């Protein structure tokens, strides 16, 4: 009477949740930042984001082909390459030439992800790997910041002949670095807080608008796509270090709020540090990771030579994530078994 | 205060900024070979730290007390390698005979070290950098060992995780370790310029 | 209805856990219905944890309903009885839900076999002091009572006083956290007095001084009914009904103990280590029947449910009836059924051979439709773990399921042991929530089997 | 006759072994440090390779000559001493006649001493075989090592400067990938190359 | 006695070999060390003469000790550039200081009155390829040719063509640019003072 | 003139030579003394293996030097072949040393899979959708009807390091040409189907079934299972039927006509040959097929 029944081990039902769903949520969370990028950087966003996404996806497909996966298109279905592409694009300077973005995305996916075995296996955040590689290769291109269209009305609306028209401007963090060196001028950076909050300032595509990032981050937290522990840990440690700085010398070190809203901090807090694949599994581990990211970022921003250290902080903490996981082993509910 | 500062900066610099493995490419063989498990990696790191401190100090002394005054710098390489090899072998035999437990936990790594260029490399770098102060030489050598330990432990942690991953067959083992090391150096670039 | 309002909202719970859809309304209102004896039953000689029974009858022997047909001398063992009157056809291998194939006594029913009715009528007047602890224990053993909540541990062993592990607290487990199943719920509603009687007897036998009846707060009627009935009983001061929060696997004894007593049972340990005995409501009901009426455990309540079943309901089934017969009794299946599960969808065992007989531990037969398992993970493809940590979050045992499962998958059993694979109770929460559809529980189970086998092979 | 052909075949095999089947870098994973350190450009890589060939050749010759006189417990010490001597000579030579290369290679020349390939060949081949075979072996291994270095260096130099052997070959619009000259480039290029070699050799067998 | 015999039997080869090797090294050294020395001098000379085109030869004039910015003492050699006509056409000296990653060593040349810098050359540096190593490019270096031998200033934007005490930083390598300026600033003033003290140059007009 | 040159060279060279001499002899003394004074006794087998390794202590094997690797190999011969510098040569030598340790008395043991049911021979009640390994499938009841037969997910195949096992239509088949007799497969099989049997002949006869069901049940589940009819045991006493299953006594097995007859008589064809050149087993349907030469 019963034909074609199936067997497998328990449980036999599951939550209607999939990797794809999680990734789509992240993409939805990124929409405000994308919109802000489009608003402030116009044609650049329009070019850069699709470029990165397409080349990331294409690279993943190629890698699958090379690995002779039976179905090379399959792993594209989980949209993780799309997320990587978007996040990479959002962390690039707006005026970056297309070919650079292609190299970055290809490197991010091929070396950052696929050589480790694809989704879930990578040790380092692929987008940050791509960005770090680009920074190491094409440092000057990666530190040329185009002014937002709302300020620079001459920004081309259609043509992408960027070198000619683009006006460039330093970022708040560069001024902050200057302030640290000259021990004056932090106030001027603080005064720009409103621009850093709305995003009307130079910087990477997706990092300028703190507001948009915050909305997206809140969405992810509410949807329980990300755990609030890492964002909290990063934010708290950043604020602590920034406070120490501005307490020592308010002329040299900018205020904590300015630190939070400038540079890649919020993008990192909500979208990059929370990349589950490269972050620790346990809650204790997440706190260590978050505090580590915040601390290293602030160390680089305050003591180091670069204006921004988010990317390096992420990569470094990614590297120690396995160690964190190992040393934050969970103790089973009934305590250690006494064998 | 000043010397302390210099020592501290030197130490941090060689641990992080000028890490032997990640920036000077020294000791790659054990880095690839013994980074499979954390306990092994840690034992190796400890052994390297011990030997590198010992030989850094010894070679500095020999260089400054014997070779330089006597104008025998040409025989530097030979002397260095012989001193290192001899010292390591002696320590190994000694541990093995008298401290078997210590030997088991880190002494077993000692023979690996003679052919590890981190040791000789460091001695040469100390010489190259013109360190003319014994204390500094000791601290730098010790720091180099700690830097090696750190790098190899991080790598071991990563590799333990990679054991559970579907790394392409042809990249398993040394290739993926090298690539990971490469990405690790990308991360360590963040510290560049922090200490000068 | 009552003058005093009973709080049915559960505050107590354990960390972790998840909320699968309940699907209990399919059968929640269906009264326990006796099932007539079919043509044949196959009584498994192994229906519990512990030593396998030896047959006491041979091929061709005639047996009476309630006759002991298998037993053994081991301490951890419970005898089996024939639920029907008939003739032993053979003693042969039959499909077994856990063991695959195992020896069963196959009995052909005689034509005259009255349908046994449940609940021979308990009132609120049982005085457990009429029975000595020893008497109760013996009756429980003779009746072949084993835990009916799932594991099937011989109940006598559980309730017998043990000088090394003195018992203080008795917990009656009426949570029934598994989706779909309502057998315990119906028992609590319909056999309330019997449960209380059994509880008192178990308390007497085990010498416990405190008794808690844990019921999930999605069963407010059961909580109310139990509370009301308790009031009319004598000697009820130390028996408390505790509403606990509805969350899977609230019914796991470790979780229930954590929820009610705020105590952890040591990993790899058992509740008696902290002075607790946990018994399922069906088990205590069986105790009452065994002690008072001297009636062996030959029938049990089984929920036959699932969207594919024509007439789902709760049934009083002779042990040894085949699943096939039972499903037919319920009118067969209506939709394309895809999976037949002994137990609920979270922990139950999917069976392939529908001739598999019901045993003392079968509390439900759930038939899932194709659509349901299409939505469930195993028909879908597994994707790689994204280390989202959801499985760690829900694991009631606070384990690291993904690490353990991946260690097993890669044959690194020492790593799996290092992450306490043995602490897993296979509740299935981790697999349930995993967005990557990884069969974490399956891998963990595999690893445990592997390890057990390794240990078995080692001494050689 | 047959014997002669046999020996010739053996020589050929030994020579080829170092190039592919037992390539020190790709197959034996030895001498990784210089491989990574000196391959930012083709010139230093070639220089390094030649030094290794020289040292390996000399040490193999010496070891092979002394092979019957070696005492076990002093064997490795003896090898080290021999190698260190020739490395010193090579270093002096470079300093004298290739000062620029000597500067670029810096301490990596003396580090040849601890390069496992050389001691490995001394132990595995020269201490067991006659002079001629030892020489062939040293040449095979040395050339194999040098070629590997050159391949790696070629890739890195092209990408990092658009030039090879300091002669620009890529079009002027090419923006050099500075990272290829940094440690990142070294590690990743070698890693990927190793993977490639693994894949290729899998296919063959 | 027998022990010694035993020892000799075991180790004679090692002893003999080490003696021979020692000789070998020493001979090589003896033969090549003049060339090596010459190389060093040549390099310095060529660097310096690149900076002081009129100079025919250089003579070491003094060995001074200056304090680095961090308070460390470093040695500096002062060379006198002598023209065909045997007149002093300028001075060159080496100096060092912290760069972005590691030490930067420079050779700086000034005119004979220590008034104008005629240029500088990087002796050794370890700056990031593509970033800091741009201090070697003429684009940056040319700004120093003819700059006054006094405190130079680094500015972020300016005219690179204009020669004055303002040095325009390389964008993306401000730190290294600054380091060079700082090293030069630091040493040039101290050396100037010390040389004045020694009477090597006039006490200014 | 030349003499003067040489003299000059000598003058500048002798201190270096002397230093080296001093160093060399110094170390020779120290090491000689140390090697005698600080000697530690080690297992001679380890010593032997250690000798066979190149003694480079390069760490490529993943162990802390050759000594440790030698020790590890002795404990776990599966680790053989990790020494890159030593290469094939060293591995072979060590294998030799190791095989000397293993008593080579008696015939070499080779695995025999005690099942001959391919997918089409078996009865299935359900479709298995779980983890595709035998051990997982074995944990569920009745993934296939026969509880004793090969599950066909190839745990044994992945256990074999020598590529000597393959899945053929849902049944594990040993490639006796490649098998080294390491018994890894036998340990891996959750159903204990693979037995290590002393191969006294090149081809061994076997009863390729493990079913302890009675004849009727076996028939219902498997086209080729042993139905315990006892025909084989009637031919020769090296067959015996126990627990509804015929077994062959491998110790006593010698290829004679009697066994051949038993094989032909077997109604289901479960008696067959295994080995390097084993003939194709008889198809059960063609009961009356011509006897093999
Ligand atoms: C996610 C993210 C990470 C970043 N990480 C770094 C970094 O590690 N280093 C860096 O120099 N800039 C990084 N940036 C760019 C900075 O946020 C900022 O735009 C830039 O550093 C401004 O610096 P400048 O002063 O070098 O011009 C990152 C940007 C994003 C969006
Ligand atoms: C995950 C899990 C869920 C369980 N759920 C229930 C349940 O809902 N009701 C129940 O009575 N027993 C449940 N059990 C079984 C109990 O842990 C325990 O075995 C039982 O209450 C003991 O009573 P018994 O011996 O009378 O069966 C569950 C066990 C596990 C591991
Ligand atoms: C990978 C990397 C390497 C760098 N290396 C150097 C360097 O060697 N020297 C230097 O001055 N700046 C270097 N920088 C740039 C500094 O971080 C810093 O951004 C710069 O000095 C600020 O100068 P700007 O205002 O001209 O951009 C490097 C940047 C990156 C990303
Ligand atoms: C919350 C969340 C954050 C993510 N952040 C990143 C990211 O920063 N960079 C990235 O490459 N992929 C990100 N991903 C996508 C995915 O995890 C990533 O591609 C994997 O690291 C690839 O294995 C994210 C995914 C999620 C769910
Ligand atoms: S729930 Fe699944 S995807 Fe998430 S960590 Fe656990 S195993 Fe991985
Ligand atoms: S099945 Fe095991 S590991 Fe998974 S949630 Fe339950 S107890 Fe934890
Ligand atoms: S695992 Fe071992 S015994 Fe089994 S087939 Fe392979 S080589 Fe033979
Ligand atoms: S022989 Fe055993 S391990 Fe091998 S496939 Fe069959 S059941 Fe699995
Ligand atoms: S070459 Fe082997 S450690 Fe460096």
């Amino acid at each position: 009477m019963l034909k074609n029944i199936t067997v497998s081990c328990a449980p036999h039902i599951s939550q209607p949740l999939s990797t794809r769903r999680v990734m789509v949520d992240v993409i939805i969370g990124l929409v405000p930042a994308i919109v802000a990028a489009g608003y402030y950087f116009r044609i650049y966003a329009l070019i850069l984001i699709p470029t990165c996404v397409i080349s990331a996806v294409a690279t993943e497909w190629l890698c699958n082909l090379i690995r002779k996966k039976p179905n090379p298109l399959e792993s594209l279905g989980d949209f993780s390459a799309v997320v990587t592409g978007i996040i990479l694009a959002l962390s690039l300077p707006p005026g970056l030439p297309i070919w650079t973005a292609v190299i970055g995305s290809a490197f991010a996916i091929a070396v950052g992800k696929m050589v480790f075995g694809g989704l879930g296996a990578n040790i380092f955040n692929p987008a940050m790997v791509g960005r770090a590689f680009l920074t190491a290769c094409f440092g000057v291109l990666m530190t040329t910041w185009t002014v937002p269209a709302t300020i620079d009305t001459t920004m081309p609306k259609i043509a992408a002949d960027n070198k000619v028209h683009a006006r460039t401007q330093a970022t708040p963090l560069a001024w902050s670095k200057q302030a640290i060196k000259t021990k004056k001028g932090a106030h001027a950076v603080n005064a720009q807080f409103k621009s850093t909050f709305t995003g009307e300032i130079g910087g990477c595509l997706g990092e300028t608008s703190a507001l948009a990032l915050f909305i997206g981050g809140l969405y992810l937290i509410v949807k329980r796509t990300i755990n609030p522990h890492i964002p909290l840990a990063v934010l708290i440690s950043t604020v602590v270090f920034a406070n120490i700085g501005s307490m020592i010398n308010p002329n040299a070190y900018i205020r904590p709020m300015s630190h939070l809203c400038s540079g890649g901090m919020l993008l990192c807090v909500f979208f990059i540090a929370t990349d589950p694949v490269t972050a620790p599994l346990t809650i204790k581990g997440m706190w260590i990771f978050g505090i580590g990211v915040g601390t290293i970022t602030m160390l680089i921003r305050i003591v180091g030579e670069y204006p921004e250290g988010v990317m390096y902080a992420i990569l470094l903490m990614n590297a120690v994530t396995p160690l964190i996981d190992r040393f934050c082993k969970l103790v089973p509910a009934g305590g250690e078994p006494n064998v | 205060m000043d010397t302390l500062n210099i020592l501290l900066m030197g130490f941090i610099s060689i641990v992080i900024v000028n890490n032997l493995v990640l920036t000077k490419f020294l000791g790659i063989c054990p880095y690839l070979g013994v980074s499979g498990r954390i306990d092994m990696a840690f034992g190796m790191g400890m052994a390297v730290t011990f030997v590198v401190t010992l030989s850094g100090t010894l070679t500095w002394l020999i260089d400054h007390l014997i070779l330089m005054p006597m104008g025998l710098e040409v025989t530097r390489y030979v002397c260095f390698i012989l001193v290192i090899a001899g010292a390591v072998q002696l320590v190994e035999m000694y541990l093995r005979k008298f401290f078997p437990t210590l030997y088991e936990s880190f002494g077993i790594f000692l023979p690996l070290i003679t052919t590890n260029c981190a040791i000789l490399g460091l001695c040469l770098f100390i010489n190259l950098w013109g360190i003319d102060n014994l204390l500094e030489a000791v601290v730098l050598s010790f720091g180099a060992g700690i830097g090696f330990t750190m790098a190899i432990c991080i790598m071991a942690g990563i590799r333990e995780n990679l054991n559970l991953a579907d790394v392409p067959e042809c990249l398993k083992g040394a290739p993926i370790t090298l690539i990971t090391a490469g990405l690790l150096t990308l991360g360590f670039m963040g510290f560049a310029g922090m200490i000068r | 209805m009552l003058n005093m309002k009973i709080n049915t909202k559960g505050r107590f719970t354990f960390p972790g856990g998840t909320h699968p859809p309940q699907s209990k309304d399919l059968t929640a209102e269906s009264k326990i219905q006796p099932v007539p004896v079919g043509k044949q039953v196959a009584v498994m000689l192994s229906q519990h944890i512990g030593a396998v029974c030896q047959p006491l009858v041979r091929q061709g022997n005639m047996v009476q309903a309630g006759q002991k047909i298998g037993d053994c001398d081991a301490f951890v063992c419970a005898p089996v009885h024939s639920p029907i009157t008939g003739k032993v056809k053979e003693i042969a291998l039959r499909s077994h839900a856990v063991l695959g194939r195992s020896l069963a006594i196959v009995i052909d029913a005689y034509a005259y076999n009255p349908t046994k009715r449940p609940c021979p009528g308990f009132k609120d007047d049982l005085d457990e002091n009429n029975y000595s602890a020893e008497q109760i224990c013996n009756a429980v053993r003779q009746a072949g009572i084993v835990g009916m909540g799932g594991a099937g541990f011989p109940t006598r062993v559980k309730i017998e006083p043990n000088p090394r592990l003195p018992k203080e607290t008795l917990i009656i487990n009426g949570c029934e956290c598994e989706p779909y199943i309502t057998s315990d719920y119906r028992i609590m509603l319909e056999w309330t007095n019997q449960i209380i009687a059994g509880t008192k007897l178990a308390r007497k036998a085990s010498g416990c001084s405190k008794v808690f009846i844990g019921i999930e707060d999605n069963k407010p009627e059961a909580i109310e009914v139990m509370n009301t009935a308790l009031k009319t009983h004598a000697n009820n001061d130390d028996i408390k009904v505790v509403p606990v929060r509805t969350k899977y696997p609230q019914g796991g004894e470790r979780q229930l103990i954590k929820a009610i007593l705020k105590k952890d049972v040591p990993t790899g340990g058992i509740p008696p280590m902290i002075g607790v005995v946990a018994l399922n409501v069906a088990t205590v009901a069986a105790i009452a029947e065994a002690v008072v009426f001297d009636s062996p455990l030959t029938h049990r309540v089984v929920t036959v449910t699932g969207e594919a079943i024509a007439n789902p309901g709760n049934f009083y089934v002779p042990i040894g009836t085949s699943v096939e017969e039972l499903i037919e009794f319920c009118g067969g299946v209506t939709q394309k059924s895809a999976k037949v599960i002994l137990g609920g969808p979270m922990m139950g065992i999917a069976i392939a051979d529908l001739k598999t007989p019901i045993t003392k531990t079968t509390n439900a037969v759930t038939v899932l439709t194709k659509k349901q398992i299409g939505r469930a993970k195993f028909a879908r493809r597994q994707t790689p773990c994204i280390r989202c940590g959801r499985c760690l979050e829900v694991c009631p045992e606070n384990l690291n399921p993904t690490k353990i499962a991946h260690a097993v998958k890669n044959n690194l059993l020492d790593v799996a042991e290092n992450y306490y694979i043995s602490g897993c109770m296979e509740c299935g929460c981790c697999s349930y929530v995993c967005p990557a559809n990884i069969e974490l529980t399956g891998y963990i189970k595999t690893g445990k089997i592997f390890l057990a086998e390794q240990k078995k092979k080692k001494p050689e | 006759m047959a014997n002669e052909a046999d020996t010739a075949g053996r020589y050929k095999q030994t020579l080829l072994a170092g190039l592919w089947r037992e390539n020190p870098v790709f197959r034996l994973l030895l001498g990784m440090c210089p491989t990574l350190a000196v391959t930012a450009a083709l010139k230093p890589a070639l220089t390094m390779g030649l030094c290794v060939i020289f040292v390996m050749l000399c040490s193999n010759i010496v070891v092979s000559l002394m092979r019957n006189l070696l005492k076990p417990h002093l064997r490795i010490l003896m090898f080290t001493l021999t190698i260190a001597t020739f490395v010193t000579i090579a270093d002096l030579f470079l300093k004298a006649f290739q000062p620029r290369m000597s500067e670029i290679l810096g301490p990596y020349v003396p580090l040849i001493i601890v390069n496992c390939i050389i001691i490995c060949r001394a132990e595995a081949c020269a201490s067991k075989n006659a002079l001629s075979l030892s020489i062939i072996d040293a040449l095979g291994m040395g050339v194999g090592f040098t070629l590997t270095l050159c391949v790696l260096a070629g890739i890195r130099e092209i990408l990092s400067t658009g030039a090879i052997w300091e002669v620009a070959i890529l079009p002027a619009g090419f923006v050099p990938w500075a990272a290829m000259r940094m440690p990142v480039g070294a590690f990743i290029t070698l890693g990927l190359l190793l993977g490639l070699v693994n894949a290729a050799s899998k296919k063959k067998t | 006695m027998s022990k010694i015999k035993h020892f000799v039997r075991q180790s004679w080869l090692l002893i003999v070999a080490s003696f021979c090797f020692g000789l070998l090294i020493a001979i090589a050294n003896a033969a090549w060390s003049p060339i090596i020395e010459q190389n060093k001098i040549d390099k310095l000379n060529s660097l310096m003469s690149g900076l002081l085109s009129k100079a025919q030869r250089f003579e070491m004039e003094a060995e001074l000790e200056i304090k680095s910015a961090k308070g460390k003492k470093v040695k500096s050699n002062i060379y006198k550039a002598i023209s065909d006509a045997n007149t002093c056409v300028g001075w060159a000296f080496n100096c060092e200081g912290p760069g972005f990653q590691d030490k930067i060593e420079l050779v700086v040349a000034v005119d004979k009155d220590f008034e104008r810098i005629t240029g500088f050359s990087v002796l050794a540096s370890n700056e990031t390829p593509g970033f800091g190593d741009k201090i070697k490019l003429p684009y940056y270096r040319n700004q120093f040719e003819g700059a006054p031998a006094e405190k130079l200033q680094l500015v972020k934007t300016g005219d690179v063509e204009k020669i004055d005490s303002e040095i325009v930083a390389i964008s993306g390598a401000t730190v290294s640019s600054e380091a060079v300026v700082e090293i030069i600033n630091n040493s040039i003033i101290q050396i100037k003072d010390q040389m004045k003290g020694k009477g090597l140059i006039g006490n200014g007009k | 003139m030349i003499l003067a040159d040489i003299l000059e060279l000598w003058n500048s060279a002798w201190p270096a030579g002397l230093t080296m001499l001093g160093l060399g002899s110094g170390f020779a003394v120290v090491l000689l003394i140390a090697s005698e004074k600080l000697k530690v006794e080690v297992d001679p087998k380890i010593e032997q293996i250690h000798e066979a390794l190149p003694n480079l202590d390069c760490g490529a094997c993943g162990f802390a030097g050759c000594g440790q690797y030698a020790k590890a190999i002795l404990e776990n011969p599966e680790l053989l072949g990790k020494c890159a510098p030593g290469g094939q040569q060293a591995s072979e030598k060590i294998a030799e040393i190791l095989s000397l340790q293993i008593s080579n008395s008696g015939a070499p043991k080779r695995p025999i899979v005690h099942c001959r049911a391919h997918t089409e021979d078996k009865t299935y009640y359900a479709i298995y959708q779980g983890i595709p390994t035998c051990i997982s499938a074995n944990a569920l009841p009745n993934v296939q009807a026969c509880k004793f037969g090969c599950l066909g997910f190839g745990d044994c195949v992945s256990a074999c390091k020598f590529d000597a096992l393959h899945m053929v239509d849902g049944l594990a088949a040993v490639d006796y040409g490649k098998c080294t007799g390491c018994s890894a497969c036998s340990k891996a099989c959750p159903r204990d189907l693979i037995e290590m049997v002393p191969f006294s002949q090149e081809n061994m006869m076997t009863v390729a079934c493990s079913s302890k069901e009675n004849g009727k049940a076996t028939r219902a589940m498997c086209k080729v299972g042993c139905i315990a009819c006892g025909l084989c045991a009637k031919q020769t006493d090296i067959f015996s039927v126990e627990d509804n299953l015929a077994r062959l006594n491998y110790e006593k097995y010698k290829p004679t006509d009697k066994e051949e007859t038993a094989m032909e008589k077997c109604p289901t064809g479960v008696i067959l040959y295994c080995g390097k050149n084993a003939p194709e087993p008889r198809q059960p349907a063609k009961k009356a097929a011509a006897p093999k030469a």
Side-chain angles (χ1 to χ4, degrees), chain D residues 43-44 94-95 97-106 166, chain E residues 39 43:
Chain D
K43 258 185 193 170
L94 276 191
K95 274 193 183 130
F97 301 108
Q98 283 289 326
R100 198 163 82 83
M101 282 300 127
S102 166
E103 216 169 89
I104 291 176
L105 294 176
E166 293 171 13
Chain E
N39 280 339
K43 182 180 174 197

Side-chain angles (χ1 to χ4, degrees), chain D residues 78-93:
Chain D
M78 200 57 225
F79 296 163
T80 317
L81 191 64
T82 317
I83 295 166
T85 305
F86 289 110
V87 169
T88 312
I89 292 172
D91 189 40
L92 286 173
F93 179 85

Side-chain angles (χ1 to χ4, degrees), chain B residues 2 6 24 74 78 192-193 196, chain E residues 25 29 70 98-101 126:
Chain B
D2 222 27
I6 287 176
K24 299 280 181 275
V74 265
V78 183
R196 269 172 290 145
Chain E
I25 292 176
N29 184 39
K70 283 241 165 98
F100 181 78
Q101 299 235 348
N126 204 3

Side-chain angles (χ1 to χ4, degrees), chain A residues 2 6 11-12 74 277 279 329 335, chain C residues 267 337-338 345 378 381 387 418:
Chain A
L2 278 175
T6 56
H12 307 285
E74 191 180 309
V277 175
K329 212 164 91 176
Chain C
T267 306
S337 53
F378 309 120
R381 281 193 41 80
R387 291 169 44 93
N418 242 323

Side-chain angles (χ1 to χ4, degrees), chain A residues 121-168:
Chain A
N122 49 315
I123 300 297
F124 299 96
N125 188 319
M128 290 301 101
V129 165
R131 192 183 194 281
F133 185 73
L134 287 182
T135 312
C137 274
F138 315 109
V140 176
L141 289 177
M142 288 292 288
T143 46
T144 311
W145 311 104
T146 311
V147 174
T150 47
I151 299 174
D152 177 12
T153 43
T154 62
M155 177 181 271
K157 299 289 184 295
I158 320 154
D161 187 11
N162 43 31
K163 271 279 157 300
V164 186
H165 300 279
R167 239 172 71 199
T168 59

Side-chain angles (χ1 to χ4, degrees), chain A residues 281, chain C residues 385-391 402 406 430 433-436 438 440:
Chain A
L281 277 168
Chain C
C385 169
I386 51 168
R387 291 169 44 93
C388 66
R390 283 179 171 79
C391 51
T402 171
H406 284 86
C430 47
V433 295
C434 176
I438 299 171
L440 296 159

